[in-house]
């Protein structure tokens, strides 16, 4: 009898390309198991088979249980797995990244390590948020000042649109109920957006800590990405929820944001925005993160890379070394 442990692992050439996969598959209130090279989702309505090689990132929502065999096949097929709240509005934990390539992680580190390029990415983030304004040449202090003014303008505009009074941003960490209804809604929307951004950052293999606007926190880059959608999605939605009713604001905001995530394909948009910010528009358009060949190289002098699996200690022909993972 064939057992899971005796099945050969799939090679990168056998895997489905990123562009042909479903970017994100969300499951909740079911048991996830394995059937050959597919995963199964079993609930009260029956069993659904999902070819594991077609999944980019599997989001496991509330009420899910997953077997060891299911995790094994997801690992073999290069799918990322994240444990999240309802519709991804919380991030709890993650498995391996979607890609075997370090391209995005290295690009993030290179951009972050240089003061000029780090500022360049911060300006690009500002441009994504406010496309009607060119931040070229602005210092960090000027960027922060302009962002603050744009946020104040956004709060005032949404207050006028919805008729919800705005008395300023009020939030006490650890005391959600201390703010008025609209402040509670803004806080709930922000926290949910952090979860979404964290799930995407983890699935792409980027570092959550290497931020370009935020700094000094393990989730600095997550906060950077979440802020890209604050004035477009988070704040308007929060005012809409507060305008409807002042009761049960937190849960209603999370449900409304859940629906907006699906309507706007926000998860896919996060992926594309991160690629553009770290790789540039041209390279991002032509690069799928796990389409790169599964090749390990060694770093040499002057930025050169040489083949791995060879012994460089002798002269003439190199000895080939066996490399296993």
């Amino acid at each position: 009898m064939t057992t899971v442990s005796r099945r050969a692992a799939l090679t990168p050439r056998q895997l489905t390309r990123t562009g042909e996969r479903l970017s994100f598959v969300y499951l909740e209130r079911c048991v996830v198991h394995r059937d050959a090279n597919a995963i199964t989702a079993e609930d009260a309505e029956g069993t659904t088979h999902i070819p594991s090689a077609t999944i980019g990132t599997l989001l496991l929502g509330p009420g899910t249980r997953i077997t060891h065999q299911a995790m094994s096949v997801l690992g073999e097929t290069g799918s990322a797995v994240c444990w999240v709240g309802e519709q991804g509005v919380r991030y709890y934990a993650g498995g391996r990244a979607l890609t075997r390539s370090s391209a995005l992680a290295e690009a993030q580190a290179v951009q972050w390590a240089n003061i000029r390029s780090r500022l360049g990415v911060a300006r690009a983030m500002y441009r994504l948020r406010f496309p009607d304004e060119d931040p070229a040449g602005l210092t960090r202090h000027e960027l922060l000042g302009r962002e603050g003014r744009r946020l104040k303008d956004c709060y005032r505009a949404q207050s006028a649109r919805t008729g919800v009074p705005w008395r300023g941003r009020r939030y006490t960490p650890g005391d959600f109920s201390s703010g008025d209804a609209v402040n509670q809604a803004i806080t709930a929307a922000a926290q949910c957006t952090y979860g979404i951004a964290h799930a995407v950052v983890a699935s792409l293999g980027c570092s959550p800590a290497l931020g370009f606007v935020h700094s000094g926190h393990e989730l600095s880059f997550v906060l950077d990405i979440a802020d890209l959608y604050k004035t477009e999605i988070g704040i308007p939605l929060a005012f809409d929820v507060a305008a409807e009713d002042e009761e049960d604001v937190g849960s209603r905001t999370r449900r409304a944001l859940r629906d907006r995530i699906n309507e706007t394909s926000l998860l896919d948009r996060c992926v594309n925005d991160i690629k553009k910010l770290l790789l540039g528009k041209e390279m991002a358009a032509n690069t799928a993160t796990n389409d790169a060949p599964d090749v390990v190289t060694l770093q040499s002098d002057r930025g050169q890379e040489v083949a791995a699996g060879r012994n460089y200690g002798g002269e003439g022909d190199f000895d080939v070394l066996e490399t296993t993972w």
Side-chain angles (χ1 to χ4, degrees), residues 28-297:
E28 64 178 28
R29 296 173 179 84
C30 63
V31 177
V32 183
H33 194 45
R34 172 179 186 165
D35 183 2
N37 282 327
I39 63 168
T40 60
E42 182 180 354
D43 59 14
E45 297 181 359
T47 301
T48 302
H49 285 70
I50 308 171
S52 56
T54 65
I55 300 173
T57 301
L58 178 64
L59 302 178
L60 297 174
T64 51
R65 290 183 293 166
I66 188 165
T67 66
H68 184 277
Q69 292 182 351
M71 287 300 300
S72 174
V73 73
L74 289 166
E76 289 175 9
T77 54
S79 300
V81 180
C82 293
W83 284 260
V84 299
E86 190 175 12
Q87 290 295 335
V89 297
R90 288 285 192 275
Y91 175 88
Y92 301 127
R96 57 160 293 170
L98 168 63
T99 176
R100 294 191 182 190
S101 168
S102 62
L104 270 176
E106 290 184 3
Q108 180 187 10
V110 168
Q111 297 274 32
W112 181 88
N114 183 282
I115 294 177
R116 290 184 179 178
S117 61
R118 197 189 307 182
L119 177 56
V121 174
R123 289 170 178 159
M125 288 179 169
Y126 185 92
R127 192 177 291 109
L128 274 178
R129 296 178 65 180
F130 310 112
D132 60 329
E133 190 173 349
D134 185 7
L138 295 183
T139 65
R140 283 193 173 275
H141 188 72
E142 290 169 337
L143 281 176
L144 293 174
R146 291 201 183 188
E147 179 198 20
R149 288 192 291 273
R150 295 297 293 257
L151 278 176
K152 289 181 179 179
D153 291 343
C154 181
Y155 289 135
R156 285 193 290 265
Q158 296 305 318
S159 175
R161 180 181 66 85
T162 60
V164 175
W166 178 248
R167 302 178 183 87
R169 185 74 173 106
R170 301 286 186 272
Y171 169 62
T172 303
D175 188 3
F176 179 78
S177 61
S178 63
D180 56 18
V182 69
N183 269 285
Q184 290 180 25
I186 291 170
T187 298
Q191 291 174 340
C192 292
T193 311
Y194 297 153
I196 295 162
H198 200 162
V200 174
V201 168
S203 70
L204 292 178
C206 296
S207 169
L210 298 184
F212 296 88
V213 177
H214 294 84
S215 183
H217 192 274
E218 63 171 336
L219 300 180
S220 294
F221 189 55
V222 172
L223 302 179
D224 284 355
I225 299 303
D227 276 358
L228 295 178
Y229 317 106
K230 181 183 291 184
T231 55
E232 178 188 349
I233 296 176
I235 294 175
L237 183 143
F239 273 87
D240 287 339
V241 170
E244 293 172 358
D245 194 345
E246 294 190 0
E247 298 297 323
D248 199 22
V249 169
S251 60
R252 288 194 298 111
T253 301
R254 288 189 289 272
R255 288 194 296 270
L257 187 60
R258 173 199 65 193
D259 296 338
R260 191 66 57 85
I261 292 167
N262 290 328
E263 293 168 3
T264 61
S265 300
L266 185 59
L267 290 163
D268 291 329
R269 182 176 168 187
C270 279
V271 171
N272 294 328
D273 287 343
I274 290 173
K275 288 181 182 179
K276 289 176 184 176
L277 289 167
L278 299 181
L279 300 173
K281 289 184 179 180
E282 258 186 59
M283 190 175 296
N286 299 321
T287 302
T289 52
N290 75 333
D291 284 349
D294 189 37
V295 175
V296 180
T297 60

